[in-house]
């Protein structure tokens, strides 16, 4: 296959992977929009609904590292197809839940299904893009997270009003089947950019080197505390806008989309900035976390919907740099053979945050009767992440053929 054809295939695969991430975000965030309807239908209070929201993250976080290992071991293509089919089935089944227990179990299994996609899609970037294009491709792909979160309320809010939560879960479950067909066709004849030695299965030595890398664990902790904030907002902002500020469901869809559009644009831009600043990215991460926390604190004090959305948008702009840094670390600093596993480990930290954040926020809301204490909790988590980021070394971009022990510790 000639170089131009390979580039064309790479671009198409990036579009397909982007679409897959959007579907995953629609599937996982629709429950935040439907949570009020679900609570009324199944007679569940905020603390129990917090457990339902967290059930997804339990499965999702548990699957991150196995998903990365499977992608490195058996290839990204097989894992992606299996993951999307699995999560589509359990998305549809969410609409059939009849009790708190059934809903928790279904959402947990849904999380297991979605958990294989992040690391496998990251591995696919290594498979189908040359090394000098991977940071840009990865940050572009991961900007789909925010775009998917922006589209979800716009698409799903009117559907929830028209059809109710049960039917909407069945509808969005069908999107994954469309992706699977498109992905299989787009990768059927795609070229692989990995060198023959890189394409081989990772050895125990390479896994040990990965686990000894201190950068990996520091980034994991940063992602954990930052994502406590991210998942807390995604899980409870729709309810806050409806119950705290009196906004109707259709308007919530539009208001919820605004901050995530800023996050989308921010991630696309920040990925390119990180690729240029290299070792100085650490200072951008620290600044971004601090300003995110400050914006969230101001949001907790705001009383009008426009003020709330403005401060959330500002928070997401600064959060985008942090997210881009985290998501591109495996491509910039880890061996290609273990890119999937590295991303899985880091993403485990970020998604484990989703287990605790909705539950803690739900408990704070139920205990205080307001959302302010929950938002202050998110601000505190940002402060912890900023402290950890101060201990990041000023790492340099990984050079071809170097192993993890040669990364400059600054």
């Amino acid at each position: 296959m000639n170089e131009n054809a390979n580039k064309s295939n790479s671009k198409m695969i990036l579009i397909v992977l982007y679409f897959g991430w959007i579907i995953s975000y629609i599937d996982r965030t629709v429950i935040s929009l439907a949570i009020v309807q679900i609570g009324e239908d199944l007679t569940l209070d905020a603390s129990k609904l917090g457990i339902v929201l967290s059930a997804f993250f339990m499965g999702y976080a548990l699957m991150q590292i196995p998903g990365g290992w499977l992608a490195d071991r058996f290839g990204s293509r097989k894992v992606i197809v299996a993951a999307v089919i699995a999560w589509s089935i359990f998305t549809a089944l969410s609409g059939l839940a009849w009790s708190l227990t059934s809903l928790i179990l279904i959402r947990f299994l849904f999380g297991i299904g979605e958990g294989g996609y992040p690391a496998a899609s990251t591995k696919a970037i290594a498979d189908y893009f040359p090394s000098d294009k991977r940071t840009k491709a990865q940050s572009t792909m991961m900007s789909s997270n925010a775009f998917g979160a922006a589209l979800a309320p716009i698409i799903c809010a009117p559907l929830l009003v028209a059809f109710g939560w049960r039917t909407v879960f069945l509808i969005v479950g069908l999107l994954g089947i469309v992706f699977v067909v498109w992905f299989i066709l787009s990768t059927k004849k795609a070229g692989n950019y990995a060198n023959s030695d890189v394409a081989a299965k990772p050895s125990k030595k390479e896994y040990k080197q990965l686990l000894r890398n201190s950068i990996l664990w520091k980034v994991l902790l940063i992602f954990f505390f930052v994502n406590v904030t991210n998942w807390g907002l995604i899980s409870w902002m729709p309810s806050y806008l409806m119950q705290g500020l009196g906004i109707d469901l259709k308007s919530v869809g539009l208001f919820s989309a605004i901050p995530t559009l800023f996050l989308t644009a921010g991630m696309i831009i920040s990925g390119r900035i990180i690729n240029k600043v290299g070792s100085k990215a650490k200072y951008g991460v620290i600044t971004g976390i601090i300003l995110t926390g400050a914006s969230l604190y101001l949001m907790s004090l705001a009383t009008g919907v426009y003020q709330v959305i403005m401060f959330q948008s500002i928070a997401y702009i600064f959060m985008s740099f942090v997210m881009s840094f985290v998501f591109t670390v495996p491509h910039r600093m880890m061996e290609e053979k273990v890119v999937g596993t590295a991303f899985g480990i880091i993403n485990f930290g970020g998604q484990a945050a989703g287990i605790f954040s909705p539950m803690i926020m739900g408990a704070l809301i139920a205990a205080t009767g307001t959302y302010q204490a929950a938002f202050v909790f998110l601000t505190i988590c940002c402060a912890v992440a900023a402290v950890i980021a101060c201990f990041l070394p000023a790492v340099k971009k990984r050079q071809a053929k170097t192993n993890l022990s040669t990364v400059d510790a600054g």
Side-chain angles (χ1 to χ4, degrees), residues 262-263 265-267 270 315-325:
F262 279 97
L263 183 59
M267 287 191 66
S270 59
Y316 273 1
I317 289 171
F318 293 113
M319 187 188 291
S320 68
F321 190 93
V322 183
M323 294 294 191
S324 289
F325 175 85

Side-chain angles (χ1 to χ4, degrees), residues 56-384:
F56 159 78
F57 294 100
M58 292 177 189
Y60 192 63
L62 286 174
M63 191 59 188
Q64 292 305 307
I65 297 174
W69 180 83
L70 289 169
D72 285 333
R73 197 76 178 172
F74 300 105
S76 60
R77 195 167 183 260
K78 294 178 181 177
V79 177
I80 286 173
V81 170
V84 178
I85 290 174
W87 96 49
S88 299
I89 291 171
F90 287 107
T91 296
L93 288 176
S94 297
L96 304 178
W98 62 91
S99 65
L100 174 62
T101 302
S102 65
L103 191 56
I104 289 173
L105 178 60
I106 291 170
R107 296 306 290 179
F108 173 79
L109 294 174
F110 166 66
I112 292 287
E114 279 216 353
Y117 188 75
S121 62
T122 297
K123 182 68 173 179
I125 295 296
D127 289 341
Y128 300 115
F129 283 83
S131 58
D132 61 330
K133 303 293 183 184
R134 290 172 190 164
T135 297
K136 181 179 177 181
Q138 179 77 2
S139 61
T140 300
M141 180 179 74
M142 298 310 292
S143 71
S144 59
N145 291 8
F147 191 53
L151 283 180
I154 294 173
I155 294 172
C156 296
L159 291 175
L160 286 165
V161 172
F163 302 109
W165 65 277
R166 294 185 183 277
T167 302
V168 171
F169 277 110
L170 295 173
I171 293 171
V172 298
L174 296 174
L175 293 174
I177 307 305
V178 176
F179 167 83
V180 169
V181 174
W182 190 8
F183 178 73
I184 290 174
L185 292 176
S186 66
T187 56
K188 190 173 183 180
K189 296 181 180 179
N192 194 312
Y193 278 95
N195 296 324
S196 58
D197 62 321
V198 172
K201 295 177 181 179
S203 65
K204 290 183 180 179
K205 179 181 178 182
E206 285 159 331
Y207 283 125
K208 288 179 180 178
Q209 288 176 332
L210 176 67
L211 295 176
R212 287 198 298 264
N213 184 16
S214 64
I215 299 171
L216 182 78
W217 302 108
K218 290 172 184 175
V219 172
L220 180 151
L221 288 173
I222 291 168
F223 195 26
F224 174 85
F225 286 102
V226 170
N227 236 23
V228 165
T229 297
N230 187 38
W231 283 121
L233 291 173
I234 289 174
S235 298
W236 284 107
M237 276 303 291
S239 297
Y240 174 57
L241 292 174
M242 284 186 281
Q243 297 178 333
L245 298 178
I247 308 300
D248 63 80
L249 183 55
K250 283 187 177 180
S251 299
V252 165
L254 295 175
F255 280 119
S256 297
I258 294 171
T260 49
L261 289 175
F262 279 97
L263 183 59
T264 303
M267 287 191 66
I268 293 173
I269 296 169
S270 59
R272 286 149 178 77
I273 294 173
I274 288 171
N275 208 28
K276 292 182 179 180
V277 300
S279 62
K280 296 179 181 178
K282 163 187 174 178
Y283 304 106
V285 171
I286 297 170
T287 303
I289 295 172
I290 292 172
L291 293 176
T292 297
S295 300
L296 290 174
Y297 179 72
L298 292 173
M299 189 183 81
S300 73
L301 302 177
T303 55
V305 63
Y306 294 106
Q307 286 180 312
V308 168
I309 296 302
M310 179 184 71
F311 286 124
Q312 187 185 357
S313 298
I314 294 171
Y316 273 1
I317 289 171
F318 293 113
M319 187 188 291
S320 68
F321 190 93
V322 183
M323 294 294 191
S324 289
F325 175 85
V326 169
F327 290 142
T328 59
V329 160
H331 290 300
R332 292 183 293 109
M333 291 176 252
M334 311 297 174
E335 285 286 350
E336 291 178 18
K337 288 184 183 180
V338 292
V339 160
T341 303
F343 188 88
I345 292 172
I346 291 171
N347 209 33
F348 168 78
Q351 305 317 319
I355 299 173
F356 302 101
S357 186
M359 285 194 295
I360 293 173
M361 289 187 69
L364 289 170
I365 293 165
T368 64
T370 69
Y371 286 78
Q372 186 173 9
F375 292 141
V376 171
F377 161 69
L378 301 184
T379 302
I380 294 171
C381 288
C382 284
V384 176

